[in-house]
Amino acid sequence: MKKLTSLLSIMFIQGLFYQTALAQDEKTALVPLPSVDDFTKGEDGWAFGLGLGIEYESAYEGSDEFGFEAQPAGAVQWRSGDDIFYFAGEALGWRGLRADTWLFDAAVAFDEGREEGDSDDGYLDGLGDQEEDTELVLQTRYALDADWRYWLVGRVVTGGSGNLGLFGVGYRFGDQLDGTGSEINLVGVFHDSEYANKGFGINAEQSAASGLPETNLSGGFRSIGIDYTYRYYLNDNWQIFGEALYEHFSSDVQDSPIARSNYEAEVSVGFIYLF
């Protein structure tokens, strides 16, 4: 009986260590948020993810035309403790975790702009092609609890075409700590007059060429948006992801002739292979 008790005790202790090890192994992501991709699996050094996504989205901001588009997915990342440096698509940046509750992110990103040909129905004819632009994107999230169940988010985008700000709240579903599962964010978006007119303004020259009335927007409230992100590991190397986004424009934006719809929407799915 004593031998049986001792054996059970050993098994119980081993089980505790095993469960603890599993919990430690599971906690691999810098923060457990599906929208913050982390391919390092908790290890310092290089990490690579390469994949493909299929998007069904508005042809341009305010468009009522939709279409499919294939986009590369993944990133090259280098991790050192609570800091990750990354190159993802058209963005080069850094993100870092501080005091377990603050996530900071800074990136230089490339904006392709808008072309007349983005509208198959010719709604952008005469407006000309917008110049490509480089933007600085600064973002912070603050966790309202220890396991990042709820958080506040703020983002600023600034560049040669004006400034945009985003502020909101988020919620994470599930108990995974490896960056999988799903999350949802509700945000309010604001822009200055330069950024507003980049997407929805029509100057005198454009008005004469397109036949659309001259339109000049002021800065302020732009939209309210909601987005949902999902991420799941099929095995050690394969990951699938999905995202759905809806942005409802303010009345000022809707009054622009360029805004043929009062919203913008996007749905995307894809896969990533982790090397």
Side-chain angles (χ1 to χ4, degrees):
M1 184 67 179
K2 290 183 178 180
K3 290 183 179 180
L4 178 60
T5 303
S6 300
L7 180 60
L8 291 174
S9 298
I10 293 173
M11 293 175 64
F12 177 72
I13 293 172
Q14 289 178 335
L16 286 179
F17 279 116
Y18 180 68
Q19 292 297 329
T20 302
L22 281 180
Q24 292 173 345
D25 289 342
E26 185 185 15
K27 192 172 183 178
T28 59
L30 189 65
V31 288
L33 302 181
S35 62
V36 182
D37 53 8
D38 182 353
F39 305 143
T40 67
K41 299 183 179 179
E43 299 179 0
D44 285 356
W46 291 101
F48 303 89
L50 181 62
L52 182 70
I54 303 296
E55 301 177 350
Y56 182 72
E57 60 181 347
S58 305
Y60 55 91
E61 291 184 338
S63 173
D64 58 357
E65 303 170 63
F66 288 81
F68 289 95
E69 184 176 3
Q71 292 282 356
V76 177
Q77 301 176 341
W78 185 80
R79 181 167 181 169
S80 177
D82 288 336
D83 297 280
I84 293 179
F85 298 87
Y86 62 89
F87 175 70
E90 298 175 336
L92 178 65
W94 158 87
R95 65 175 60 107
L97 180 65
R98 297 295 181 267
D100 293 328
T101 55
W102 285 96
L103 178 68
F104 297 98
D105 197 315
V108 176
F110 180 75
D111 180 17
E112 296 179 353
R114 187 187 66 200
E115 299 180 356
E116 287 189 6
D118 289 342
S119 173
D120 292 336
D121 294 334
Y123 295 130
L124 299 177
D125 290 352
L127 297 181
D129 297 339
Q130 293 180 346
E131 294 184 0
E132 300 169 343
D133 190 20
T134 300
E135 300 174 329
L136 176 64
V137 183
L138 303 174
Q139 180 174 237
T140 184
R141 301 195 196 194
Y142 176 71
L144 298 176
D145 54 5
D147 61 355
W148 285 83
R149 179 70 58 195
Y150 304 90
W151 63 88
L152 303 176
V153 60
R155 182 188 305 161
V156 174
V157 180
T158 182
S161 300
N163 304 285
L164 177 142
L166 175 154
F167 308 94
V169 295
Y171 176 79
R172 180 173 69 93
F173 301 91
D175 299 316
Q176 299 95 321
L177 299 174
D178 59 356
T180 62
S182 60
E183 71 175 69
I184 192 168
N185 292 269
L186 179 65
V187 299
V189 187
F190 302 82
H191 53 196
D192 62 12
S193 59
E194 187 175 359
Y195 199 99
N197 285 294
K198 168 192 172 183
F200 301 100
I202 302 173
N203 60 33
E205 182 180 352
Q206 291 173 322
S207 177
S210 66
L212 298 174
E214 189 172 346
T215 304
N216 184 50
L217 279 72
S218 58
F221 178 64
R222 168 191 171 95
S223 62
I224 186 169
I226 185 170
D227 70 86
Y228 173 83
T229 304
Y230 175 81
R231 195 177 297 272
Y232 178 74
Y233 279 105
L234 295 172
N235 53 41
D236 288 341
N237 297 103
W238 287 99
Q239 181 186 105
I240 59 173
F241 66 89
E243 183 177 10
L245 180 148
Y246 177 85
E247 181 182 10
H248 191 84
F249 296 126
S250 68
S251 56
D252 287 343
V253 172
Q254 292 181 35
D255 288 341
S256 167
I258 296 176
R260 301 186 58 83
S261 176
N262 58 11
Y263 70 92
E264 182 177 3
E266 175 185 328
V267 177
S268 62
V269 295
F271 66 89
I272 297 174
Y273 182 84
L274 277 61
F275 295 87

